[in-house]
Amino acid sequence: MFSLYRLREDKQKLQLEGAGRDEQKKRITDMGTFLREQPTTLTEYDEPLVRRLIEKVTVYENKFTVEFKSGVMVDVKE
């Protein structure tokens, strides 16, 4: 039998997970809006754009992984 405390804890956990997903969706939407406002062709390195969009880049022997601030990760292979 479930206890009331256990159900409350589960409810709170689910609410926190939902809030995290909502925040990630908002970041992705914001990134999409920002990208649509940019010129369609990038011809040179844009430091403010990189700082706004990219959280980190991890370099491996045969690929690198770009982690965007939205939480999306992309592997780029040689």
Side-chain angles (χ1 to χ4, degrees), residues 5-59:
Y5 295 114
R6 171 64 188 221
L7 291 173
R8 285 181 181 165
E9 288 174 4
D10 289 348
K11 179 182 175 184
Q12 183 178 18
K13 182 180 175 184
L14 290 171
Q15 287 174 328
L16 288 173
E17 289 173 0
R21 281 191 302 275
D22 291 345
E23 179 61 29
Q24 185 176 22
K25 286 179 187 177
K26 182 184 180 316
R27 289 194 311 254
I28 290 171
T29 300
D30 290 346
M31 183 171 70
T33 301
F34 177 75
L35 289 172
R36 281 189 293 281
E37 294 170 354
Q38 299 306 306
T40 56
T41 304
L42 293 175
T43 57
E44 59 187 48
Y45 178 76
D46 186 342
E47 182 76 20
L49 180 63
V50 169
R51 291 195 177 275
R52 179 164 179 158
L53 296 178
I54 297 177
E55 181 68 32
K56 71 179 180 177
V57 176
T58 306
V59 179

